[in-house]
């Protein structure tokens, strides 16, 4: 009997053991059931035990046909997980089942330009500006008939989370954001930084050139792997883990979206007029009022602000968590239990 139990524990968060996980946790759908019990249980689980989502879905939403993973009960409290560049939905491959096991409905979409997400029209501008990406997520919520959700992300996903909470707080129950408050503007992007800080943005300047665009297109896997290594210097990912995500960069619009995003930030590319009102509001660096937890890894090699620099940008219930142990920029994949615990906590308190 003990051998069988051990085997079940090893498979606890594999796709075949989701029903068992929910039964062992004995959780109800109430907010109280989303607090201490799942956190204690999650902390005992060995991370990086999942390698895939059970299936991917597609849905027309706004300008896109969005590819996304869905895990957990259809009537669960919704959580939307947003990846960054150069990453994809597999940053959350261990986080999603942890959340599903405590009753959340978890949606993990490919952003525009990634994976199986496609534009519905060839005539649509391949626009990477942050407000457009945030509008995509709102359109996805509409298509899925989700009125309000807990939103969590890192990198581009964290910025999108911030923007949604600032512009559409009625759609955001609570949020978790790696590296805190990342709302910016073209005006802010034009301001020079000290040389040491500018050095960290070397790829942004590379992308400002046509040589950079061509180089990223030609070497997108090599380029992305280098970013992973620089941004998470203590994360020893293997080739299989990287390749699982790198396939998302084969999207036909990937290069156009990435290049436009970084050029727009520097004021070197125009956005779309329909987002002008949103951009004007974001340029004021609005305070976020929804319940929020910000997070940072202690070994984040990517450019990021200090937590003290953005603490006052959150006026609702707020806390910050620094995750130790050599955790880098891809915090959800490197420390999935800590990331899941933060979502469970902020959603329960909202």
């Amino acid at each position: 009997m003990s051998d069988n139990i051990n085997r079940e524990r090893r498979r606890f968060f594999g796709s075949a053991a989701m029903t068992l996980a929910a039964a062992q946790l004995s959780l109800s759908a109430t907010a109280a059931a989303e607090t201490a019990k799942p956190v204690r249980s999650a902390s005992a689980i060995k991370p990086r035990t999942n390698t895939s989502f059970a299936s991917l879905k597609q849905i027309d939403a706004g300008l896109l046909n969005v590819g996304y993973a869905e895990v957990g009960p259809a009537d669960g409290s919704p959580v939307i997980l947003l990846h960054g560049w150069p990453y994809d939905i597999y940053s959350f491959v261990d986080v999603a089942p942890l959340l599903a096991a405590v009753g959340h409905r978890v949606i993990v979409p490919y952003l525009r330009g990634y994976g199986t997400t496609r534009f519905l029209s060839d005539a649509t501008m391949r626009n990477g500006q942050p407000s457009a990406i945030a509008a995509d997520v709102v359109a996805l919520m509409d298509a899925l008939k989700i009125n309000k959700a807990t939103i969590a992300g890192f990198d581009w996903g964290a910025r999108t989370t911030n923007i949604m909470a600032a512009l559409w707080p009625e759609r955001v129950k609570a949020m978790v954001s790696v590296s805190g408050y990342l709302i910016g503007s073209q005006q802010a992007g034009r301001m020079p930084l000290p040389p040491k800080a500018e050095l960290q943005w070397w790829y942004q300047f590379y992308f400002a050139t046509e040589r950079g665009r061509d180089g990223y297109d030609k070497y997108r896997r090599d380029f992305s792997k280098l970013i992973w290594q620089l941004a998470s210097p203590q994360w020893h990912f293997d080739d299989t883990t990287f390749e699982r995500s790198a396939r998302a960069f084969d999207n036909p619009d990937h290069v156009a979206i990435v290049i436009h995003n970084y050029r727009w930030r520097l004021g070197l590319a125009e956005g779309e007029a329909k987002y002008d009102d949103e951009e004007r509001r974001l340029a004021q660096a609005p305070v976020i009022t929804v319940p929020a937890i910000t997070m940072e890894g202690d070994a984040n090699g990517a450019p990021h602000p200090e937590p003290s620099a953005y603490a006052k940008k959150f006026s609702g219930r707020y806390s910050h968590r620094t995750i130790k142990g050599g955790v880098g920029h891809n915090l959800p994949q490197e420390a999935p239990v800590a990331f899941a615990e933060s979502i469970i906590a902020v959603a329960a308190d909202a």
Side-chain angles (χ1 to χ4, degrees), residues 180 290-294 307 310-312 314-321:
V290 306
I293 291 177
T294 59
Y310 53 72
K312 292 183 179 180
F314 298 91
S315 65
R317 183 173 296 185
Y318 170 72
S319 64
H320 177 79
R321 300 181 178 188

Side-chain angles (χ1 to χ4, degrees), residues 20 31 125 143 194 283 329:
L20 175 62
M125 177 182 175
H329 190 59

Side-chain angles (χ1 to χ4, degrees), residues 172-210:
V172 181
K173 176 183 178 181
M175 55 155 282
V176 173
S177 172
V178 177
S179 298
Y181 187 91
L182 298 176
I183 293 175
S185 66
Q186 286 188 319
Q187 182 178 358
R190 293 187 182 101
M191 298 296 292
L193 301 173
K196 188 175 181 180
E198 296 282 19
L199 179 63
Q200 291 185 299
W201 292 105
W202 64 272
Y203 55 87
Q204 187 167 257
F205 300 112
Y206 181 65
F207 288 163
T209 69
E210 285 306 297

Side-chain angles (χ1 to χ4, degrees), residues 4-139:
N4 290 335
I5 292 174
N6 287 334
R7 282 196 294 271
E8 291 299 330
R9 287 175 177 167
R10 287 194 295 270
R11 296 197 303 269
F12 188 80
F13 281 99
S15 58
M18 288 307 304
T19 302
L20 175 62
Q24 287 178 327
L25 290 170
S26 301
L27 299 169
S28 70
T30 64
E34 294 178 350
T35 55
K37 283 187 179 180
V39 171
R40 285 199 298 266
S41 298
S43 64
I45 301 304
K46 184 178 180 180
R48 292 176 289 279
T49 57
N50 294 288
T51 59
S52 66
F53 293 98
S55 63
L56 294 180
K57 300 180 179 181
Q58 299 288 142
I59 190 169
D60 287 351
L63 301 173
L64 305 170
N65 178 260
V66 178
Y68 67 101
E70 181 169 356
V71 183
D75 61 349
S77 178
V79 174
I80 299 176
L81 304 177
L82 302 174
H83 67 82
W85 171 84
Y87 305 94
D88 82 325
I89 65 173
Y90 286 95
S91 290
F92 304 106
V93 73
D94 280 311
V95 174
L98 285 165
L99 298 175
V102 300
H104 285 292
R105 179 190 182 190
V106 187
I107 307 295
V108 194
Y110 282 112
L111 301 184
R112 57 168 63 189
Y114 294 80
T116 59
T117 292
R118 298 288 188 273
F119 285 90
L120 294 173
S121 171
D122 291 339
T124 302
M125 177 182 175
R126 272 39 179 176
N127 182 355
Q129 73 184 104
S131 58
I133 296 171
D136 289 343
V137 182
V138 175

